Amino acid sequence: VLTSAISTPVIQFIVACAMGLLVWLALHPDILAGITPGQFIAFLTAAGMLAKPTRQLTEVNATIQKGIAASLSIFDLLDSQPEEDKGTYSVDRVRGDLEFRNVSFSYGEDAEPVLRDLDFTVKAGETVALVGKSGSGKTTLVSLLPRFYKHTQGEILLDGQPLTSYSLENLRKHIALVTQHVTLFNDTLAANMAYGEMAGADEQRIIEAAEAAHAMEFISKMPKGLQTLVGENGVLLSGGQRQRLAIARAILKDAPVLILDEATSALDTESERHIQSALEAVMEGRTTLVIAHRLSTIEAADRIMVLDQGRIVESGRHDELLALEGHYAALHRMQFSDAEDGPDDNAPPAGAEPA
Ligand code: ADP
């Protein structure tokens, strides 16, 4: 912008100086001896006409600069290292038994470990709620499962097989992920639910998934139903609608392992209720790790694990942990004192803003 903003005035300044010089010469005919007035006027006109093409030349420079900037980011992408994928094991469908054996993880070689000595199992079909203060490592823990990051120590087993032995494509086929940040493509609602491996899925299946995710309610109100375009990154959809789409994706994918990152805020009570029932539908019969913020999810979980500074400090059911009067009881008091007093247990935690 700086280059293109400066170039035109600079060129005009130079042209103006040149014209000024010509006019000065015109006022001193003795210097121009040998040139006829006709020649001089022709020269003056030609010089005046030069200004525009010269300015256009500078615009080319702006285009080139843009091209260079764009190609830099393209080459960056081309040069990026492919994900490490040495595994060869692949299986049609896993049961969903998960085991963490002394798993530690840090984001860099010299960085402080974010997860320390995690040691636990999750049986197939079980729902485990992860709770803990922000920054305690919940998101990091669940990102290890689809191998977004590689654990630095210990071993994670899925159905008794180390995660690293699965081929990346096969591993991710078994995992469905619903996070708070839902990425949407500038395409139809249907294509946003059924993409990648599910692309071209039967419309009936998409509708069933959308219904189970309570997404059909808003989709059927859209002008073109499933064929409505969502706009760049889904600008036309609200937070709750986006999340219901993500849940529909997960239902459609029908993966045995489910990772959920519950939304904390930006949802009104109505969406909150819809999402709650949608989540219950999708969790059924799957191994579920859920970063839980809602009391109802936490109470319904088979087990709650409380993370603090990368360690599991408490683990058990809601009542057991409350009775312990430890970390969980304190967290519970902090987050849910309002929700419990009110008539609606599903109300967002204190401090959450309605959308
Ligand atoms: P939680 O989900 O419980 O809020 P996170 O797993 O997001 O916690 O973060 C745990 C710790 O790891 C935090 O101290 C955070 O700063 C750090 N962390 C998270 N993501 C990254 C990253 N990509 N690079 C470096 N550090 C990170």
Side-chain angles (χ1 to χ4, degrees):
V1 167
L2 188 76
T3 320
S4 61
I6 281 185
S7 55
T8 308
V10 166
I11 294 291
Q12 275 174 342
F13 180 72
I14 294 173
V15 170
C17 289
M19 293 299 272
L21 183 69
L22 280 176
V23 171
W24 182 77
L25 283 175
L27 297 175
H28 295 77
D30 46 316
I31 306 178
L32 291 177
I35 293 183
T36 66
Q39 276 174 330
F40 182 73
I41 292 299
F43 183 74
L44 203 62
T45 315
M49 282 165 73
L50 250 180
K52 197 168 171 236
T54 321
R55 225 175 30 238
Q56 277 169 342
L57 259 184
T58 64
E59 281 162 22
V60 172
N61 179 39
T63 313
I64 291 176
Q65 293 299 333
K66 267 191 219 157
I68 290 176
S71 50
L72 271 183
S73 53
I74 290 178
F75 284 119
D76 258 2
L77 192 65
L78 290 178
D79 289 344
S80 60
Q81 291 286 334
E83 285 177 290
E84 192 179 296
D85 185 14
K86 295 207 184 101
T88 51
Y89 184 76
S90 86
V91 56
D92 243 11
R93 192 175 173 89
V94 295
R95 284 188 313 280
D97 285 313
L98 275 175
E99 184 176 352
F100 278 63
R101 281 191 197 151
N102 294 85
V103 174
S104 297
F105 175 79
S106 59
Y107 276 103
E109 283 187 1
D110 318 318
E112 275 275 296
V114 174
L115 299 174
R116 305 160 204 249
D117 270 336
L118 298 183
D119 208 52
F120 62 91
T121 55
V122 185
K123 285 204 236 34
E126 213 178 0
T127 298
V128 170
L130 297 170
V131 299
K133 280 185 246 152
S134 129
S136 55
K138 304 179 295 288
T139 313
T140 309
L141 195 165
V142 295
S143 332
L144 295 184
L145 285 182
R147 295 216 325 244
F148 293 153
Y149 299 102
K150 195 172 169 304
H151 48 283
T152 27
Q153 207 186 77
E155 194 140 58
I156 306 177
L157 307 166
L158 176 60
D159 274 16
Q161 279 283 336
L163 275 193
T164 41
S165 72
Y166 282 85
S167 77
L168 207 53
E169 192 186 344
N170 188 254
L171 174 71
R172 290 182 182 167
K173 205 175 99 172
H174 306 307
I175 301 174
L177 186 70
V178 181
T179 61
Q180 297 190 32
H181 306 284
V182 183
T183 306
L184 294 173
F185 307 103
N186 189 4
D187 205 335
T188 62
L189 284 164
N192 265 295
M193 283 183 274
Y195 68 99
E197 208 184 338
M198 306 304 305
D202 197 36
E203 178 154 330
Q204 193 51 38
R205 281 189 61 201
I206 300 180
I207 294 179
E208 278 166 22
E211 267 168 2
H214 291 246
M216 225 38 216
E217 284 139 45
F218 74 84
I219 293 176
S220 52
K221 285 188 200 128
M222 298 257 175
K224 290 194 191 148
L226 278 174
Q227 300 309 321
T228 312
L229 291 170
V230 300
E232 190 67 44
N233 202 10
V235 283
L236 304 180
L237 301 175
S238 75
Q241 293 172 339
R242 300 163 71 96
Q243 201 158 31
R244 277 183 270 168
L245 278 189
I247 295 170
R249 281 175 176 173
I251 295 176
L252 193 64
K253 189 170 179 191
D254 190 26
V257 180
L258 175 68
I259 298 171
L260 285 178
D261 192 348
E262 277 189 344
T264 40
S265 54
L267 291 182
D268 51 74
T269 323
E270 177 72 12
S271 314
E272 182 81 34
R273 271 213 194 94
H274 282 308
I275 286 181
Q276 188 63 40
S277 4
L279 285 180
E280 277 160 21
V282 69
M283 277 152 83
E284 217 171 278
R286 290 170 222 276
T287 308
T288 308
L289 282 182
V290 48
I291 299 180
H293 297 289
R294 288 188 203 101
L295 189 58
S296 50
T297 315
I298 298 176
E299 282 181 335
D302 297 306
R303 190 159 24 121
I304 302 161
M305 295 201 301
V306 185
L307 256 82
D308 188 43
Q309 296 184 6
R311 281 181 213 282
I312 299 174
V313 286
E314 281 170 15
S315 162
R317 291 193 63 95
H318 177 69
D319 316 337
E320 296 166 8
L321 294 185
L322 273 188
L324 269 182
E325 279 294 325
H327 290 266
Y328 181 73
L331 264 175
H332 181 265
R333 262 199 304 279
M334 234 158 52
Q335 285 199 0
F336 298 113
S337 47
D338 286 0
E340 260 190 334
D341 294 344
D344 180 9
D345 270 2
N346 289 341
E353 300 259 330

